[in-house]
Each structure stands twice: as structure tokens, then as C-alpha cells.
Amino acid sequence: MLPSITLSNVFFEYPYRRSLSSLLLPRHHLSNPRNTISSINLTITHGERVALLGGNGSGKTTLLRLISTILEPTSGTIFTSSPVFPLLQQGFFTTRELTVVQTIRAYYFYNKYYQITSYHDYLLSVLDFSGLHEHKDKPVKKLSQGMSLRLLFSILVDGQHNILAIDEFFGTGDKAFFQKAQLRLTQFLKYSSTLILASHSDSLLRDFCSRGLVMSNGKIVFDGTLDDALSFYREHSA
Amino acid sequence: MNVSHYILLTCRSWLYTGYARSRSRNSKSFLGALWPGLSILLTVSILSPLYSRVLAAHSEYNYTLYLLLGLLYWSGINSSISRSVDSMAASTDILLNTRIQPVFYLCEDVVYQFITLLESTLFFIIPFFFVWPSLLLQSLLISIPFFIIYVLYLFILQSVFYFLIVSLSDFRNLVPTFLQVLFLATPVLYLPERLGPLQRYLVFNPLAPLLQGFRDAFLLRHFSTDSFFISILYLLIFVPISLRLISKAPRIDPGW
């Protein structure tokens, strides 16, 4: 099988917190780098579905950011056979002052959906799915948290992407919407050929993944089948 | 992907979000788009009688119009620099979790500031347009190159300040001081002639020649070639630098 993602000896550390005064100080006086990723060697083949397990601060999100090319490694190389679509954010890229319609339009332009569909069709599909027709002229900041999440979900979980990197998916509003959202998410994940999914939900991981990686202190400490990875994680996190 | 390519690829999106932000600001109040112009009018009506005696005696310019243009010009510069501190902090989470590059927000803000400048300018121009249509049209045509340079200046300022703010955590404390020094070093309130022999040093402040170009266009209906070429020279130096800085700027860690 051809590799979709290859990480070779990848190291990453967030930059030092520099300040004007620290320019005058030697390097050891600076705050320590945090959330480091060290010595990651990993190959994910085309069509593989990988679960990423680990406690908070273990480096899962940073690894997903690296795989998605949001961050560049401090050293080492990352190869991806096609662009990785990251689903990591929990907010809109636009200001919350914009109305629902303006926000949908901004995503329409940013994701270049104008190459595949008309704005009117796209707007209707998002409003229909999120059920926000009545609130379409309200600024996003005036929506309830549930409505806001419905809108975000409807915008982001759309289209087909070859490689997906997903972090701990957010809750999706009320019960009625939750069922609809689960169905959409299932279809969305099925369309992708390669998937890296970080979650604490065993059932979600079992539904979509066959391989499991366990991370601790920025390192992959286990790599195997999902069942073995879940057992390893439970044993070592207890 | 290099920064220039990214700017071009996403231009429909940041043009739209900048425009939508200004519309959303205007929809908050009945006077909407008139507010920026009104606030400048208020400032001019208070400062003009006072400063015209102190700073502009025996000038060839009408000091009220001179000050008005200075404040219109300065308001965009001031907002751009001030906002580069806040708008970036607001988008930290997005910058760390999506492939959106910081330059997207800089471009969006430049569009927003430019629309604000146009709204303020039109606020003053439209009433006079009925009185002196041909004179104003002439001034507007002459000033077009300076408007384009102004937009690029806003981009340069935002990029440089953004880079410094994300690279040095305590730099933001110096931003108000920088703004104050820049304001006093630019002839917004005073006439350059009042500086005497020091006037020649104004050429080292990139904001001064551009402001002079605007003033000559609107007050004398004269295209200032000196101002134009000096401003272009500054652009040739600073546009590549700012693109380089913005591509090297780190994404902010939200935990900081």
C-alpha cells in the first residue's frame, strides 16, 4: 500500500516566549519550550483509519497540527500524498459580529465552493441542515451556544476530503440535531480514504478506526490494533 | 505556499470579510457609515480655530481643510496599528487550528480600514460635490495613485507591527508610544514649514510624503511628483520586507 502520510524523525517545540527584555538575557533564562513532540516516526498508508489516544497535553493536537501542515516541524520531515483537511477548530474564522448569512458566505468564498455550486444553493443547504432559517440575519454572537455549534458543524462537516485529521469532535446542540449530525458525520468520515481521529469516545473510534496510536509526553508509546491500543491506554492511564 | 500566492488565492474571501465587517459595524447604529466622518468633523471643529492661530499663520492652505485631510489620513494609520494588537489576539485559536495564515487577517483589516477611509472621505466630499463638481473630480482623479499607495502602507504597517507583537511578548506595551511619536513626527496638525531647517528630515518619515501628496491633490489640485516617487521608493523597500516578516511570523500559542 502507498503511504498517505510519512513522518520521519519529527521534532517540534513551540517557540520560546521572547520579550524585549529577554533579548538581553542568555537563552537558559527564557521560559522552557512547551508541548514538544519528539522523535516521531510514523507511516500511515492509503485508506488506513487511525485512532489517536492519549491524555490531555500528551501531544495529540500538536501532532494533528503538524500532519495538517498548520505547524512546521522544528526538525525532521513530513510527507503527505494529498492535502490533509484539519477539523480542529471550535470557532468561526470570521468575527462573531457577522450575521449567519455573512458567515456562510465568507466560508463559501474561502473554501472556493463557487467552483462547484452556486452561492444560493450552498446557503440554502447550510441553513436547511442547521435549521437556522429564522435566525439568518442575526449576528453570530447573538446565537445561543447550541445554535452556534449547529452552524459551525453544518459549515465544516461538508464536502469530501481525501485525508482527514480530526480532533475531539464538539457536541452538536440539541437532541434532534444530534441525530442528524451523527448521520452527516458518519457519511463525512466514510468519504475520506485516510483518517486520523483523536477522541476519548471508544464507540466513535471503534466505528471508524482499525489502528490505534497512544501518545504520552509528545511521543508515540504504542502503535498497534485499535483494541490493543485501547487496552494499553486504559492500563497506563489508570 | 508563499505569502503572495496565498494573498491572491484567498482574495475573494478577505475582500468579502473586510466588507462584511464594515457593514456589520454600520448596521449597529442609525447613523452607520456617517460615524467616522462625524467624529473627524467634531475633532476638526474643535481643533481648527485653536491650532490655526498657533500652527498655521500666513499659510497658503486653508487650515481647516488642511487639518481635515491630515486627520482623515491619520485615522486609518492609527486604527490599523492599534487593531493589529487586538485582532490578532482574537484570531489566535483559528490560526493554530486551521491553515488560515495570519496575512489573511491583515488583508481583511486593510480592506476594513480602506472602506472606513472612503466612507469618511465621501462624507466630506459629497456635500461639496454639488458646489464644485469639476474641481473635486479633478482632485479625486489626481489622488487615486496616493489612495493605492495608502492601502499598501496600511498593509506594511500592520505586517511590521504584527510581526513585532507576536515575536516579542511585551512589545504591545510600546505600541501607544510608537503611535504618539509617529503622530507627532508626521505633519498632521502642523505645517512642515513651521519646522524650519528641520523640515528636510521629514523625508525620512515615510508617512509625511504621502500625506503631502494627498494635500496637494485636494487643496491645490496638483499632482506632487516628489511625494509620489518618494512614496513609491518606500514601497519598493518595505513591501518585500513586510511580506518576508509576515511569512516568518510565528503563529501565537494560545497558552501564552
Side-chain angles (χ1 to χ4, degrees):
Chain A
M1 288 289 268
L2 290 172
S4 267
I5 300 166
T6 309
L7 283 80
S8 307
N9 211 20
V10 168
F11 284 78
F12 177 79
E13 59 183 46
Y14 283 95
Y16 281 93
R17 184 182 184 179
R18 289 199 174 278
S19 62
L20 283 168
S21 46
S22 72
L23 290 177
L24 306 169
L25 296 171
R27 193 175 164 90
H28 66 267
H29 280 134
L30 300 172
S31 56
N32 289 326
R34 301 182 303 113
N35 296 338
T36 51
I37 289 285
S38 40
S39 190
I40 300 265
N41 287 292
L42 175 68
T43 302
I44 297 172
T45 53
H46 182 76
E48 235 182 338
R49 294 169 163 258
V50 181
L52 208 50
L53 299 157
N56 293 329
S58 58
K60 300 190 300 290
T61 307
T62 305
L63 183 62
L64 289 175
R65 286 173 184 154
L66 287 164
I67 289 172
S68 311
T69 65
I70 293 168
L71 299 173
E72 282 180 25
T74 313
S75 68
T77 55
I78 297 175
F79 161 82
T80 61
S81 60
S82 58
V84 179
F85 182 77
L87 205 54
L88 315 177
Q89 85 260 37
Q90 310 226 342
F92 299 96
F93 82 82
T94 51
T95 164
R96 292 173 68 83
E97 302 280 331
L98 299 196
T99 64
V100 170
V101 170
Q102 287 172 330
T103 304
I104 295 171
R105 191 164 195 168
Y107 274 92
Y108 176 76
F109 284 132
Y110 190 79
N111 292 326
K112 298 192 174 51
Y113 287 141
Y114 50 81
Q115 292 171 346
I116 48 173
T117 182
S118 75
Y119 166 63
H120 187 253
D121 289 348
Y122 178 70
L123 176 69
L124 278 182
S125 78
V126 175
L127 288 177
D128 282 344
F129 191 80
S130 60
L132 291 174
H133 274 284
E134 285 176 21
H135 305 279
K136 66 183 169 114
D137 295 319
K138 267 190 191 173
V140 170
K141 69 175 182 185
K142 297 224 170 135
L143 298 178
S144 68
Q145 200 184 1
M147 286 178 186
S148 210
L149 283 173
R150 272 156 55 184
L151 178 62
L152 187 64
F153 183 93
S154 310
I155 290 172
L156 294 181
V157 184
D158 194 20
Q160 291 184 25
H161 305 279
N162 218 4
I163 310 176
L164 279 176
I166 304 184
D167 195 7
E168 202 66 64
F169 216 72
F170 41 79
T172 42
D174 55 38
K175 250 186 180 174
F177 185 76
F178 183 75
Q179 287 173 341
K180 212 162 57 157
Q182 285 293 312
L183 193 66
R184 165 83 77 101
L185 183 61
T186 306
Q187 285 170 343
F188 183 69
L189 296 182
K190 272 183 183 160
Y191 284 140
S192 71
S193 58
T194 307
L195 171 72
I196 308 112
L197 176 61
S199 173
H200 288 291
S201 160
D202 287 9
S203 61
L204 186 69
L205 295 175
R206 282 184 201 283
D207 282 348
F208 294 104
C209 304
S210 52
R211 178 179 169 190
L213 303 174
V214 183
M215 291 196 72
S216 177
N217 295 323
K219 290 180 178 164
I220 294 175
V221 290
F222 183 88
D223 183 356
T225 62
L226 178 65
D227 285 335
D228 290 347
L230 285 168
S231 309
F232 181 92
Y233 178 53
R234 274 195 215 103
E235 274 171 35
H236 289 80
S237 62
Chain B
M1 188 189 305
N2 78 38
V3 176
S4 322
H5 189 208
Y6 180 83
I7 291 172
L8 288 174
L9 268 181
T10 55
C11 69
R12 279 183 82 164
S13 186
W14 50 259
L15 279 169
Y16 176 73
T17 51
Y19 161 77
R21 256 179 62 197
S22 71
R23 278 199 55 190
S24 123
R25 180 202 59 198
N26 293 344
S27 67
K28 282 184 197 160
S29 115
F30 175 68
L31 291 172
L34 302 177
W35 271 117
L38 278 173
S39 72
I40 288 173
L41 182 66
L42 183 69
T43 314
V44 169
S45 57
I46 293 168
L47 294 186
S48 173
L50 187 70
Y51 285 155
S52 59
R53 289 172 183 274
V54 186
L55 300 172
H58 317 299
S59 163
E60 61 176 320
Y61 297 114
N62 174 326
Y63 183 71
T64 304
L65 292 177
Y66 181 91
L67 181 63
L68 177 67
L69 279 166
L71 290 175
L72 273 172
Y73 176 85
W74 180 253
S75 64
I77 306 276
N78 183 37
S79 311
S80 280
I81 296 174
S82 310
R83 287 190 61 84
S84 60
V85 180
D86 303 326
S87 64
M88 290 303 142
S91 41
T92 298
D93 182 54
I94 290 296
L95 292 176
L96 268 177
N97 291 312
T98 67
R99 276 200 293 263
I100 291 179
Q101 294 187 17
V103 73
F104 179 91
Y105 290 103
L106 301 188
C107 292
E108 177 193 296
D109 212 57
V110 168
V111 173
Y112 177 80
Q113 298 302 343
F114 185 64
I115 291 174
T116 308
L117 175 78
L118 280 185
E119 286 170 350
S120 316
T121 309
L122 290 174
F123 173 86
F124 292 104
I125 281 181
I126 288 172
F128 289 109
F129 203 79
F130 295 102
V131 188
W132 306 298
S134 60
L135 294 183
L136 273 172
L137 196 64
Q138 199 183 345
S139 298
L140 276 173
L141 285 174
I142 293 170
S143 65
I144 285 172
F146 296 107
F147 271 109
I148 295 168
I149 296 170
Y150 185 78
V151 170
L152 292 167
Y153 266 41
L154 292 181
F155 177 78
I156 290 168
L157 285 168
Q158 289 234 0
S159 308
V160 171
F161 274 82
Y162 171 74
F163 178 80
L164 291 169
I165 286 162
V166 295
S167 303
L168 301 164
S169 60
D170 50 3
F171 180 80
R172 64 188 62 215
N173 298 321
L174 288 178
V175 172
T177 313
F178 266 96
L179 268 173
Q180 202 172 11
V181 171
L182 210 53
F183 177 74
L184 294 172
T186 309
V188 176
L189 297 177
Y190 57 87
L191 291 147
E193 301 88 77
R194 305 291 291 183
L195 294 175
L198 293 176
Q199 188 186 339
R200 64 176 177 271
Y201 293 113
L202 277 180
V203 80
F204 296 111
N205 172 3
L207 299 179
L210 181 59
L211 175 56
Q212 191 57 43
F214 271 114
R215 278 177 169 148
D216 284 353
F218 279 99
L219 300 178
L220 307 175
R221 286 176 304 286
H222 161 69
F223 182 82
S224 168
T225 42
D226 285 357
S227 302
F228 178 74
F229 283 113
I230 295 170
S231 303
I232 291 287
L233 183 67
Y234 276 120
L235 283 184
L236 290 174
I237 296 168
F238 285 110
V239 167
I241 290 175
S242 58
L243 286 173
R244 181 90 182 140
L245 289 180
I246 200 69
S247 65
K248 291 282 167 201
R251 286 169 185 261
I252 311 164
D253 181 345
W256 287 8

